[in-house]
Amino acid sequence: MIEGSYSTMNKTSSECSINSRYNNIHEASTFSSEHENGDQLLTISQIVIRSDFANETSENQAKIILERFNEGIKNSAFTDSPVLGRAQTRLDVSYFAMAHRNQIVELFDPRGQRFGTVYSADPTVEIKYIGSILKTCRYFGAYGKHVLNVPSGHFAKAMTKNRPIIYGEGPHVIIDPTFEFDERSGFVNQQSPFINHSTINILRVPSGKIAKVWIGTQPLILESRREPYVFIDAQFKLVENNNPGELGYDRYFENSSSTFMEHGSIKRIIPHTGEVAITYNNGILTIIPTPKDGKPVIIDSPTHNFEGFIQTSLQTCLFPSKETKQQAIKDNKSATNDEINLKIFQTRDSLRVGVVLVVAFRIVDPQLALTKLGKEGIINHIENVSFADMGKAIQLSTLQEIMYFNDTKPSANSNETVQTIQDRVKSHLARDLLEYGIELARLQIETMKVLDTEIAKKLAGQSVTSAEYTTKQATLVKEYDIKTTEARLKAETDNIALEQKNKATIAEAQAKLQSAQKQAEALIITAEAQKKVQEMQGELYTKYPILAEIELAKIKADSLKNATLYITPQDAGNFMNSPLVYMDKLLGKHQKN
């Protein structure tokens, strides 16, 4: 095909152009290492170039790639009529064809049809077929024109103008003669904990981790957050962990639960409940308590140093301490076990005894305690004054007094008349320690041993005898308790039975009383009813006298029902006028009617 026929092909290409919203500047955007972000934090969207047609269909994406790649080309190097040009091998629909005219690269989509490259009679024009390119190829290009297909979930690291640039997922068309990309190492997973590309640094700090970085000479401790940290600085440096653990990315991070972490001039401190942090700000003691907001304490000062932690909760120590025992071995290599493990004193009756003390205390004023004693001197001071006070009390007591009081717990009330040796020592020691910000909770002789062998044997024999007597006494007391309990149970059982019998008798009497009351109430009601009936009959007879005569006649008739009447002639007249004859007459008239 001759060059003059390019206009036809160009017209066809223009008909396939995509909406003007895809027209953009194809030159890559970059940030220099001197990017001044100050306190304004950069985000991924600010440094990653997004594809503006990543969500288009594959057909539209191919059209957009062709349009942008071939932008500005007036004379095409391809023809769709292979008869008029150099015929090329038919390509599958999933391929582009690439050629150049005097190193001006051009893409062509044959769509499975035959095609060719044009002839040119001009000796100054070189047209050369470069080859076929798969449309889904991740990267291809030549002579300053490039197509980059970034896979999903990845970034592409490239260079332009000797500056780093990062592309997001999707297709990109780059027209830039200074563009450089290495397909072997240019693609990186977006979820990588640390992405470094020249001066661009993207850091994702997982939950429960922190990262330590340097920006020049400035240290930073980065806490975990959802969005990644973005730094564009040639002086950025990520400090790697010396103990990476099982997970590979752990070499970049450290556990955020660490109680203390130092990075440059930054100290990150998390005092737990029951302890405080010891720091010195320009040499001045500064106590840091447990933060109430639940956040770590951050100190950013090169002259504010962290010394350690000290417990403020209750502590219990056994004296002699481990350090004291080691010192005893150094001082006397031939020392016996008793001389090493016990603190030896002499009683008033010149007997040697060894003791082990139990001391429970809490530091109520760390500022005062550390100022007067220092961190390492607190335990030493408590041990020394405890043995000093206890030794003085033992020297003023006999062995019998010590052994008696050793079997007795320290009194709860220090004002009691009879005080044990431990009580006297405790009261004096508590006052002494309180002056140093230490509260004494308990002081007791844990172990006491008589070092004289003969006396120890005698005491052991006395202990056996005492133990036997104590056992017999305990047995008698137990038997007495058993008999007392049995008697008490029997008495309680009898009382319960008697009480139940009394309750039953009372219940029966109450039932009879209630029955008699009910009967009496019934008789009264019956009498009142009869009285009321009689009153009503009287009122009726008064109102109707004939009814009274009838009732009287009935009574007489009932009384004469089985009687025989003898009427003399003298009484005949009276009988005919009697109520009986009147009733017979009345009844006879009624039956006739």
Side-chain angles (χ1 to χ4, degrees):
M1 181 179 180
I2 61 175
E3 294 183 12
S5 64
Y6 169 76
S7 59
T8 302
M9 185 178 180
N10 192 32
K11 179 179 180 182
T12 303
S13 177
S14 64
E15 291 176 354
C16 299
S17 64
I18 309 302
N19 193 294
S20 60
R21 73 177 184 272
Y22 298 115
N23 296 331
N24 62 349
I25 299 175
H26 305 312
E27 185 175 350
S29 300
T30 62
F31 289 102
S32 67
S33 62
E34 293 82 12
H35 179 70
E36 297 292 339
N37 59 334
D39 295 333
Q40 183 180 2
L41 299 178
L42 292 173
T43 61
I44 288 289
S45 59
Q46 290 178 284
I47 65 166
V48 175
I49 299 177
R50 305 292 182 182
S51 174
D52 57 359
F53 59 102
N55 297 325
E56 294 291 333
T57 62
S58 58
E59 183 178 356
N60 284 344
Q61 285 184 355
K63 290 179 180 180
I64 296 170
I65 290 173
L66 286 174
E67 181 183 274
R68 295 185 178 181
F69 197 91
N70 298 331
E71 184 178 2
I73 295 179
K74 297 180 179 179
N75 298 319
S76 176
F78 289 99
T79 175
D80 52 4
S81 178
V83 178
L84 302 177
R86 297 184 181 90
Q88 303 296 333
T89 305
R90 186 191 299 268
L91 297 179
D92 188 83
V93 293
S94 59
Y95 283 84
F96 288 129
M98 181 184 290
H100 75 85
R101 177 194 290 267
N102 291 341
Q103 297 186 359
I104 297 177
V105 186
E106 180 182 356
L107 275 182
F108 180 69
D109 188 1
R111 298 177 179 274
Q113 302 298 322
R114 296 296 302 274
F115 70 100
T117 55
V118 300
Y119 287 111
S120 176
D122 189 347
T124 62
V125 176
E126 179 188 8
I127 298 176
K128 184 177 180 180
Y129 179 68
I130 297 176
S132 60
I133 304 295
L134 189 64
K135 292 181 180 179
T136 57
C137 182
R138 293 190 175 183
Y139 171 69
F140 60 90
Y143 301 113
K145 293 186 178 182
H146 310 270
V147 175
L148 189 62
N149 284 311
V150 183
S152 179
H154 288 73
F155 291 136
K157 302 187 297 183
M159 297 291 292
T160 179
K161 304 184 187 71
N162 289 326
R163 291 181 178 179
I165 188 170
I166 296 180
Y167 289 92
E169 56 188 29
H172 302 266
V173 179
I174 301 102
I175 312 299
D176 186 351
T178 64
F179 181 84
E180 297 177 14
F181 180 75
D182 186 356
E183 189 175 0
R184 293 171 297 179
S185 60
F187 295 110
V188 60
N189 195 311
Q190 293 183 10
Q191 298 303 318
S192 297
F194 179 51
I195 299 175
N196 171 252
H197 181 37
S198 185
T199 59
I200 299 177
N201 301 275
I202 302 174
L203 184 63
R204 295 179 183 272
V205 183
S207 178
K209 301 290 183 180
I210 64 170
K212 298 190 292 188
V213 302
W214 289 94
I215 306 295
T217 59
Q218 179 185 1
L220 292 176
I221 292 181
L222 305 179
E223 302 283 347
S224 172
R225 71 177 189 182
R226 183 178 179 83
E227 295 298 323
Y229 293 91
V230 179
F231 296 92
I232 300 178
D233 199 311
Q235 300 182 55
F236 178 90
K237 179 183 178 182
L238 175 62
V239 179
E240 295 188 6
N241 187 5
N242 294 327
N243 300 315
E246 296 181 359
L247 300 177
Y249 65 80
D250 279 354
R251 64 192 181 98
Y252 300 120
F253 309 108
E254 297 188 21
N255 291 328
S256 60
S257 59
S258 300
T259 56
F260 173 70
M261 189 175 301
E262 185 174 11
H263 178 46
S265 61
I266 300 178
K267 290 86 179 176
R268 184 179 183 270
I269 307 172
I270 306 179
H272 291 176
T273 301
E275 67 180 14
V276 295
I278 307 170
T279 65
Y280 290 91
N281 188 5
N282 290 314
I284 300 174
L285 176 64
T286 303
I287 299 297
I288 300 178
T290 303
K292 296 182 179 180
D293 58 359
K295 297 180 180 179
V297 178
I298 303 296
I299 299 174
D300 190 0
S301 173
T303 59
H304 196 160
N305 300 321
F306 172 78
E307 183 70 18
F309 296 99
I310 185 171
Q311 289 188 7
T312 56
S313 58
L314 186 66
Q315 302 180 61
T316 302
C317 297
L318 288 175
F319 298 134
S321 62
K322 183 178 179 180
E323 293 76 12
T324 303
K325 295 177 183 178
Q326 293 175 350
Q327 187 62 39
I329 295 174
K330 290 181 180 179
D331 295 342
N332 185 9
K333 295 183 179 180
S334 60
T336 63
N337 290 334
D338 290 340
E339 293 174 338
I340 294 173
N341 298 321
L342 301 174
K343 185 67 174 178
I344 300 175
F345 300 102
Q346 189 170 5
T347 63
R348 191 175 66 186
D349 45 3
S350 301
L351 296 176
R352 297 171 70 240
V353 294
V355 297
V356 174
L357 297 182
V358 175
V359 179
F361 64 94
R362 63 172 61 89
I363 299 175
V364 294
D365 190 344
Q367 187 85 21
L368 180 61
L370 291 169
T371 300
K372 288 189 173 183
L373 301 175
K375 181 182 177 182
E376 303 299 331
I378 293 177
I379 300 296
N380 291 335
H381 177 75
I382 295 175
E383 181 177 10
N384 292 335
V385 295
S386 298
F387 280 139
D389 292 346
M390 183 61 69
K392 182 178 180 181
I394 290 175
Q395 289 172 2
L396 297 176
S397 305
T398 64
L399 178 61
Q400 185 177 3
E401 292 173 343
I402 296 172
M403 294 190 67
Y404 171 76
F405 287 122
N406 185 49
D407 294 333
T408 307
K409 292 183 179 180
S411 303
N413 186 2
S414 59
N415 294 325
E416 291 181 358
T417 305
V418 179
Q419 286 187 327
T420 66
I421 294 176
Q422 301 169 65
D423 291 331
R424 294 196 296 269
V425 175
K426 179 182 176 182
S427 60
H428 184 273
L429 182 62
R431 291 193 299 270
D432 179 74
L433 293 180
L434 196 59
E435 296 178 359
Y436 295 88
I438 303 171
E439 180 186 64
L440 181 64
R442 187 174 184 85
L443 172 67
Q444 186 173 346
I445 298 176
E446 176 70 13
T447 304
M448 189 186 73
K449 183 178 181 181
V450 178
L451 301 183
D452 190 314
T453 307
E454 295 298 326
I455 295 178
K457 288 181 180 179
K458 292 180 180 180
L459 291 174
Q462 292 178 0
S463 298
V464 172
T465 303
S466 177
E468 291 177 354
Y469 289 149
T470 302
T471 302
K472 290 181 180 180
Q473 181 182 7
T475 302
L476 293 175
V477 171
K478 196 68 177 178
E479 291 178 355
Y480 173 78
D481 291 340
I482 292 173
K483 292 183 179 298
T484 303
T485 303
E486 290 177 349
R488 186 176 65 253
L489 290 175
K490 186 176 182 304
E492 290 178 354
T493 303
D494 294 341
N495 290 335
I496 291 172
L498 179 61
E499 185 178 355
Q500 290 178 346
K501 183 178 179 181
N502 293 337
K503 287 182 178 179
T505 303
I506 293 171
E508 183 180 358
Q510 288 179 345
K512 289 181 179 180
L513 176 61
Q514 290 178 356
S515 177
Q517 289 177 347
K518 294 294 183 182
Q519 290 178 1
E521 290 176 357
L523 291 175
I524 293 172
I525 292 172
T526 302
E528 289 180 353
Q530 291 178 354
K531 179 180 177 182
K532 200 166 186 179
V533 169
Q534 291 176 358
E535 288 177 356
M536 291 177 65
Q537 286 180 350
E539 292 177 359
L540 186 62
Y541 293 157
T542 303
K543 190 174 181 180
Y544 301 100
I546 187 63
L547 295 177
E549 294 179 1
I550 293 172
E551 186 66 25
L552 182 60
K554 286 182 179 180
I555 294 172
K556 290 180 177 181
D558 290 336
S559 63
L560 296 175
K561 186 179 287 186
N562 296 323
T564 303
L565 296 177
Y566 297 95
I567 302 173
T568 62
Q570 291 86 355
D571 297 328
N574 294 331
F575 177 76
M576 295 304 294
N577 293 326
S578 68
L580 296 174
V581 176
Y582 176 76
M583 287 299 298
D584 291 339
K585 291 180 180 180
L586 184 60
L587 293 173
K589 290 180 182 180
H590 181 70
Q591 291 176 356
K592 290 179 181 180
N593 293 333

